[in-house]
Amino acid sequence: MPVFSRFLRYFMAVAQHGSIRKASDELHIAASAIDRQVLQGEKILGTQLFERLPSGLRLTTAGELLLTSCRRWSRDLNALQTQLDNLKGLRQGSTDILIPDALTKGFLPTLLGKLRQTHPGIMVSIHVRKSHDMGELLVKGHADFALMFNPGHMRELTVRTHKEIPLGFVCLPSHEIAGLDEARFSLAAEYPMIVPAPPLALWRPIGVLEAETGVKVATVAKADNIQMIKSMVLEGAGVGILSYLDAYDEVQKGQLAFTPITNRKLPPLTLALCVDRSRQLSTAARFIITEIENFFAEQF
Amino acid sequence: MPVFSRFLRYFMAVAQHGSIRKASDELHIAASAIDRQVLQGEKILGTQLFERLPSGLRLTTAGELLLTSCRRWSRDLNALQTQLDNLKGLRQGSTDILIPDALTKGFLPTLLGKLRQTHPGIMVSIHVRKSHDMGELLVKGHADFALMFNPGHMRELTVRTHKEIPLGFVCLPSHEIAGLDEARFSLAAEYPMIVPAPPLALWRPIGVLEAETGVKVATVAKADNIQMIKSMVLEGAGVGILSYLDAYDEVQKGQLAFTPITNRKLPPLTLALCVDRSRQLSTAARFIITEIENFFAEQF
DNA sequence: AGCTTTTGCTCTCTTTTTGCGAACGCACCA
DNA sequence: TGGTGCGTTCGCAAAAAGAGAGCAAAAGCT
């Protein structure tokens, strides 16, 4: 059990999402359990922390009070943790990381590059694996943590952080769509599309979306390789459908534009940072994880 | 479970007492359970929090760091609790309190007197009972909390606060002993003594002390009434052996002097604030309890 | 209006965590 | 050399927490 009580952790998640079920998704804890903790916490503090609306939970002023304290405590704890790490001389160590092929380009190399400069003593070993192999390797202790898409709920694993990766249209910056802040999926019928094919993970949600909405995608090309799709878009062959992560590099460089698709039916694509529930993380691993968490919090 | 995690609560107790077993006595939790939490906490934080000495546990610098944070968090929580109380308009309510006869004079009336002025809306009902009856009344819900001496461990009760009450010599301010900061029990052989008799609770520990040390107390008078003993001391009849609590009033007024006895063999006399473990305290009760806790922390 | 979806909450069952008490090893002290 | 006090370990029982299905109510959608 982490330093703070279950109640505080659950409370923060619920306060952030305004909904027990959302918090349940993030924490990978049953909604009923979270509900009970919140109720019990309110009883202990003797105050209603949330007002119950049909749309979810909204903080009362009492709840806001507690939340601000919680935030401060969390920051304190983080600061304390790094103080402790510095105290015992964290400047060296090694970590084994599992990542899917999709992350071999993009933000992760950039992040690790910076890390090498600030903390040259830490060595990271990258292992590129299929998502479904990662769980086993993690449990066997062959790696400290894994970044994986849409992780199935394994009892032995815990999701420390997770991030919704927006799906969207990728086009040249000069294209009309590039001007939009967000786009409806029906646009896929109006422009020439270059779409992912199996075994790419993106193929699934796009297929689902097509079936659910009835939109007939104007497919002009398919490819089972992300880089191939991007290259074709760069050549002006059409508009790609990719995740933000796939296009991250080119978007940063201004070569491509990314416009997220807004659709209720869109199955979420989440990138999760998973660890073995029962294992103790090394200081180096913990450090890298917090770096990644910070990046998630800032960048996206 | 209270707002903070078990680990933090146990850690603070251990840090304060420098010993797991002492903390165990205070928290009324088995030492093994506390040990496990501390060990686990150290594992989670990845740092040794205590150095293990044969005499007990001493905080490492890392531990000190955590402790200061803990202290701040506790203060935050207290402040927050009163903010919440104010928010929902605590200025009224009622509490039922169980006390032993020994507390009908001394600090408690004074404390409650002040309270009446600052919070006139709160009504306290005092019930004077024998210690062994209090547990049952508490469990039955006839009172919110009880102040009792040397409470036996009842499963249904929890000790929220407890205070060691020093045993010592009570004499006129002009007496030689009054000049000492602390006194050895052997002094009881050198001055005329006025000692408590059964059924006073103090009779027991003094008897034990007499047997253990072999000191022959120069008893000139016995009484089964605290007030009687004090009156005789005031008349110059001898030196009394009483608890600090018994003499509190006269010491405050400067009429008597109190000198604590230092002796390893002295069975501790503790005054405990007990509540029903499963019951939810009213805001008024909680408020009064924190007032008493504050008094304990300051005054003694 | 009728439908599905989403919400918090409750219930029962299973798993995990925690507490307890006895025992162990160690260091100190008389 | 026993006794004392210390932290720690272990097995077992009890308490707490999680899982998952199901409920009523409200909102949004068709």
Side-chain angles (χ1 to χ4, degrees):
Chain A
M1 342 296 71
V3 178
F4 287 130
S5 65
R6 288 175 163 82
F7 162 64
L8 282 187
R9 284 179 285 133
Y10 295 177
F11 166 78
M12 291 192 69
V14 173
Q16 184 186 349
H17 291 101
S19 152
I20 288 184
R21 286 182 132 99
K22 300 264 179 59
S24 161
D25 285 344
E26 176 188 321
L27 299 169
H28 290 286
I29 295 287
S32 57
I34 296 178
D35 177 67
R36 195 148 15 103
Q37 289 289 335
V38 171
L39 253 34
Q40 193 178 334
E42 289 184 324
K43 217 169 159 190
I44 289 174
L45 291 173
T47 318
Q48 193 108 354
L49 257 22
F50 297 96
E51 14 171 2
R52 270 67 173 179
L53 306 177
S55 59
L57 299 189
R58 198 182 329 289
L59 284 170
T60 62
T61 45
E64 306 251 19
L65 241 43
L66 176 59
L67 183 61
T68 54
S69 288
C70 270
R71 291 245 160 87
R72 181 170 56 251
W73 297 337
S74 290
R75 278 201 309 275
D76 281 9
L77 185 63
N78 266 342
L80 193 137
Q81 183 63 267
T82 68
Q83 273 189 63
L84 294 185
D85 286 345
N86 290 342
L87 203 70
K88 65 185 262 213
L90 164 79
R91 290 298 165 198
Q92 54 184 2
S94 66
T95 322
D96 288 80
I97 308 178
L98 298 170
I99 63 167
D101 188 62
L103 294 186
T104 52
K105 289 189 64 177
F107 80 98
L108 192 59
T110 313
L111 190 68
L112 293 180
K114 283 185 200 157
L115 215 88
R116 162 144 312 289
Q117 299 188 342
T118 57
H119 293 77
I122 296 181
M123 183 188 129
V124 288
S125 304
I126 312 284
H127 307 271
V128 180
R129 290 294 139 79
K130 303 291 175 196
S131 272
H132 50 268
D133 294 336
M134 291 183 179
E136 194 185 340
L137 290 168
L138 225 43
V139 172
K140 282 187 180 169
H142 294 151
D144 296 305
F145 66 95
L147 288 165
M148 47 203 295
F149 291 109
N150 292 339
H153 294 207
M154 286 184 62
R155 283 209 67 73
E156 300 92 346
L157 299 189
T158 301
V159 175
R160 273 189 68 120
T161 321
H162 74 144
K163 200 66 197 171
E164 298 272 316
I165 307 299
L167 213 62
F169 298 116
V170 174
C171 55
L172 292 170
S174 55
H175 195 282
E176 308 183 332
I177 296 181
L180 304 174
D181 280 342
E182 51 183 38
R184 306 219 328 240
F185 184 60
S186 54
L187 286 183
E190 303 172 17
Y191 296 96
M193 288 287 150
I194 307 169
V195 299
L200 286 183
L202 257 54
W203 162 75
R204 258 200 162 291
I206 294 175
V208 171
L209 204 50
E210 202 171 353
E212 295 266 359
T213 61
V215 171
K216 182 74 184 155
V217 177
T219 307
V220 296
K222 293 188 175 188
D224 62 357
N225 180 290
I226 302 288
Q227 187 54 48
M228 186 64 198
I229 296 177
K230 288 192 290 186
S231 298
M232 293 179 72
V233 173
L234 282 166
E235 294 299 324
V239 176
I241 303 184
L242 292 173
S243 79
Y244 179 59
L245 229 46
D246 295 321
Y248 180 81
D249 259 3
E250 285 79 1
V251 170
Q252 290 294 317
K253 291 177 189 159
Q255 300 169 344
L256 289 177
F258 178 86
T259 311
I261 296 173
T262 60
N263 191 301
R264 278 199 322 118
K265 311 272 187 183
L266 186 62
L269 178 69
T270 67
L271 179 63
L273 195 159
C274 302
V275 299
D276 183 323
R277 161 166 308 206
S278 62
R279 209 152 74 87
Q280 185 52 27
L281 289 171
S282 74
T283 21
R286 224 168 33 225
F287 181 73
I288 303 244
I289 287 179
T290 55
E291 287 296 309
I292 293 178
E293 285 174 349
N294 288 342
F295 175 82
F296 278 178
E298 294 166 12
Q299 199 66 18
F300 286 75
Chain B
M1 341 302 61
V3 178
F4 287 130
S5 64
R6 287 178 164 79
F7 161 63
L8 283 186
R9 283 180 286 134
Y10 295 178
F11 166 78
M12 290 191 69
V14 173
Q16 184 186 348
H17 290 100
S19 152
I20 288 185
R21 287 186 133 98
K22 299 263 179 60
S24 162
D25 285 344
E26 175 188 323
L27 299 170
H28 290 287
I29 294 287
S32 58
I34 297 178
D35 177 68
R36 188 147 21 104
Q37 290 290 336
V38 171
L39 252 34
Q40 194 177 334
E42 288 184 324
K43 219 170 158 189
I44 289 174
L45 292 172
T47 317
Q48 194 106 356
L49 258 23
F50 296 96
E51 14 172 2
R52 271 68 174 178
L53 306 176
S55 58
L57 300 189
R58 195 178 339 284
L59 284 169
T60 62
T61 45
E64 306 250 20
L65 242 43
L66 177 59
L67 183 61
T68 54
S69 289
C70 271
R71 292 244 160 87
R72 181 171 55 249
W73 297 337
S74 290
R75 279 202 308 274
D76 281 8
L77 186 62
N78 266 342
L80 194 138
Q81 183 64 265
T82 67
Q83 274 189 64
L84 295 186
D85 286 346
N86 290 343
L87 204 70
K88 66 185 261 212
L90 164 78
R91 292 296 166 200
Q92 54 186 1
S94 65
T95 321
D96 288 82
I97 308 178
L98 298 170
I99 64 167
D101 188 61
L103 294 186
T104 52
K105 288 188 63 176
F107 79 97
L108 192 60
T110 313
L111 190 68
L112 293 179
K114 283 186 199 158
L115 216 89
R116 162 145 312 287
Q117 300 190 343
T118 57
H119 294 77
I122 297 181
M123 182 189 131
V124 288
S125 303
I126 312 285
H127 306 270
V128 180
R129 290 294 139 79
K130 301 291 175 196
S131 272
H132 49 268
D133 294 335
M134 291 183 180
E136 195 185 340
L137 290 168
L138 225 43
V139 172
K140 282 188 179 168
H142 294 152
D144 296 306
F145 66 92
L147 288 165
M148 48 204 293
F149 290 109
N150 293 338
H153 295 207
M154 286 185 62
R155 280 209 69 70
E156 300 92 346
L157 299 188
T158 301
V159 174
R160 273 188 67 121
T161 320
H162 74 145
K163 200 66 196 170
E164 299 273 316
I165 308 298
L167 212 62
F169 298 117
V170 174
C171 55
L172 291 171
S174 55
H175 195 282
E176 309 184 330
I177 295 181
L180 304 174
D181 280 342
E182 52 184 37
R184 304 216 332 235
F185 184 60
S186 54
L187 286 183
E190 304 173 16
Y191 296 95
M193 287 288 149
I194 306 170
V195 299
L200 286 182
L202 257 54
W203 162 75
R204 258 201 160 289
I206 294 175
V208 171
L209 203 50
E210 202 171 353
E212 295 267 358
T213 60
V215 171
K216 182 74 185 155
V217 177
T219 306
V220 297
K222 291 188 177 190
D224 63 355
N225 181 290
I226 303 288
Q227 187 54 52
M228 186 63 199
I229 297 176
K230 288 192 290 186
S231 298
M232 293 179 73
V233 174
L234 281 167
E235 294 301 325
V239 176
I241 304 184
L242 292 174
S243 79
Y244 179 58
L245 229 47
D246 295 321
Y248 180 81
D249 260 2
E250 285 78 3
V251 170
Q252 291 295 316
K253 291 178 188 157
Q255 300 169 346
L256 289 177
F258 179 85
T259 310
I261 297 173
T262 61
N263 190 302
R264 278 200 321 116
K265 311 274 187 182
L266 187 62
L269 177 69
T270 68
L271 178 63
L273 194 159
C274 301
V275 299
D276 183 323
R277 160 165 309 205
S278 62
R279 208 151 76 87
Q280 185 54 28
L281 288 172
S282 74
T283 22
R286 225 168 34 226
F287 181 72
I288 304 243
I289 287 178
T290 55
E291 287 297 309
I292 293 178
E293 286 173 347
N294 288 341
F295 175 81
F296 278 177
E298 294 166 12
Q299 200 65 19
F300 286 76

